[in-house]
Amino acid sequence: MSVCYLNGQWMDLAEARVSPMDRGFLFGDGVYEVIPSYSKHLFRIDEHLKRLDNSLKAIGLENPMNRAEWRKIVAEAVERNEGTDQSVYLQVTRGVGAVRNHAFPAEVTPTVFLMVESLTTPDEATRAQGGSAVSAADFRWLRCDLKAVSLLANCLLKQHAAENACVETILFRDGFLTEGAASSIFVVIDGTAYVPPKSHLMLPGITYDVVIELAQRHGMPLQVREILEDEVRSADEIWMTSSTKEVLPITRLDGRPVGKGLPGPMAAQMYGWYQEFKQEVMRHGG
C-alpha cells in the first residue's frame, strides 16, 4: 500500500480524490517537485524546496507551507512508505475555483499533494551498452526553468523516444542544445565535458549541479557554455543525468553511434564518482 498526503490528510493513494474543478486538473495551474531519498535520507531537500519557492513565486502562488512544515511532511511521507530508495513527488495547484475561468480566482485554497514511489536506476546491462536517444526541436514554452505541472510537451517528446525504443529525446532550439525531455545533457569533446548554462529554457537540475561539483572536485575538465547542435552530433560522448538515470551514457543518437558507439571513459569515471558520492553522502543525509 502506498500512503499519500492530500490537503492535510494521510490516506491510501488509491483513495485520494481531487475536484474536477481543481485548476491543476483544468489548466495545469500548479507546480511540482521531486525529491530523492536514499536509505530514508532526503537528498538536498533545501535546494529542492528553494526551487519549489521559485516556481510558486513565478506563477504568483503563495507557498502554502514554510520550510519547516515542508521538511516535516516530506520526511513523514518517506517514513510512512516502504523502500530503501524513494522518490517523493509533491504538487501544489492553485486549488478549486467556483467556475472555469482562466484568470485567477480572488480567493482560493491551494491543493497540496504528496506521494512516494520507488527510485529505480538503470540496470547493469543498460549501463554496459549505454542508451539510445532521438532528437527533436524543443517546442516547449519559454519558462522551462519552472517545474510546472503542465507537461504535455514533455510527454509528447518522451513518447517520441519510447516509440523509437530510446531512453530519451535530446532537444535543440535554434541550433543549440537545451536539455533532454526529462534530463540534463552533457557532451564530451576532445577530453572536455560541456553542458549548457542554466537559463529559462532548461530546468535547473539538482543532479546537474552534483555532476558539475564532482567534475570540479576531481579535476575533470568541464565547461558550462552554449553547445551547438553540430557539436552534439559529433561529440565523443553524450551523457544524460537525472536523479533516476544518474549518469547514463547515450551511445546512439538518431540511429547513429556516438563516438565509438560504446560508453566512453569520462562517463565511466563520472559514474564511479557519483556512486561514491551516493554511498558516502546521499545515504547519510548530506
Side-chain angles (χ1 to χ4, degrees):
M1 180 181 71
S2 179
V3 178
C4 73
Y5 175 96
L6 179 61
N7 294 333
Q9 301 293 323
W10 294 98
M11 64 190 73
D12 187 333
L13 180 60
E15 298 175 356
R17 300 287 186 273
V18 294
S19 168
M21 293 301 290
D22 191 282
R23 290 181 60 85
F25 177 77
L26 291 175
F27 301 112
D29 185 2
V31 300
Y32 73 100
E33 261 300 327
V34 181
I35 306 173
S37 169
Y38 301 94
S39 301
K40 297 289 189 178
H41 292 289
L42 292 161
F43 179 60
R44 296 194 175 179
I45 185 170
D46 285 336
E47 285 87 340
H48 286 91
L49 293 179
K50 180 179 179 181
R51 191 167 63 179
L52 175 67
D53 284 337
N54 292 339
S55 295
L56 287 168
K57 182 177 180 180
I59 70 167
L61 181 55
E62 185 176 351
N63 197 326
M65 300 185 196
N66 59 40
R67 290 284 180 89
E69 290 170 331
W70 275 121
R71 288 193 203 97
K72 180 180 179 181
I73 291 172
V74 174
E76 186 170 350
V78 168
E79 290 304 318
R80 283 176 176 265
N81 286 276
E82 298 179 354
T84 301
D85 294 349
Q86 301 166 315
S87 182
V88 182
Y89 175 89
L90 65 89
Q91 176 174 302
V92 182
T93 76
R94 205 173 302 275
V96 179
V99 297
R100 183 183 181 276
N101 185 356
H102 287 71
F104 302 161
E107 292 186 12
V108 68
T109 301
T111 297
V112 178
F113 170 71
L114 280 85
M115 68 176 179
V116 175
E117 296 180 315
S118 176
L119 197 164
T120 57
T121 57
D123 58 30
E124 290 304 316
T126 301
R127 293 199 178 281
Q129 65 182 15
S132 295
V134 287
S135 66
D138 191 347
F139 54 75
R140 303 171 301 167
W141 71 327
L142 297 179
R143 289 307 308 271
C144 297
D145 55 317
L146 306 180
K147 288 187 77 74
V149 299
S150 47
L151 288 173
L152 179 57
N154 296 73
C155 291
L156 292 172
L157 291 163
K158 202 68 177 178
Q159 181 63 21
H160 177 50
E163 290 172 354
N164 286 276
C166 292
V167 296
E168 184 58 298
T169 300
I170 295 177
L171 307 178
F172 298 104
R173 191 188 295 260
D174 300 326
F176 289 90
L177 170 68
T178 50
E179 57 185 345
S183 67
S184 299
I185 302 295
F186 289 71
V187 301
V188 174
I189 304 170
D190 295 331
T192 298
Y194 297 89
V195 68
K198 293 180 181 179
S199 73
H200 64 286
L201 299 177
M202 60 182 285
L203 181 71
I206 304 300
T207 307
Y208 169 107
D209 292 338
V210 170
V211 170
I212 292 176
E213 290 169 17
L214 290 173
Q216 293 171 340
R217 180 181 306 173
H218 292 281
M220 175 181 282
L222 185 146
Q223 293 184 27
V224 179
R225 67 159 173 82
E226 299 287 354
I227 302 170
L228 290 166
E229 179 175 347
D230 287 346
E231 291 182 297
V232 178
R233 295 192 180 280
S234 62
D236 301 314
E237 300 182 33
I238 301 175
W239 320 329
M240 63 180 294
T241 70
S242 69
S243 60
T244 55
K245 293 297 188 288
E246 299 184 330
V247 180
L248 181 66
I250 298 298
T251 52
R252 296 186 69 82
L253 175 60
D254 291 334
R256 297 182 177 181
V258 175
K260 296 180 179 180
L262 297 169
M266 291 180 69
Q269 196 170 44
M270 179 56 71
Y271 176 72
W273 293 334
Y274 189 93
Q275 293 306 308
E276 289 176 1
F277 183 74
K278 185 163 73 170
Q279 294 301 323
E280 296 171 3
V281 179
M282 296 181 180
R283 294 198 182 283
H284 299 279

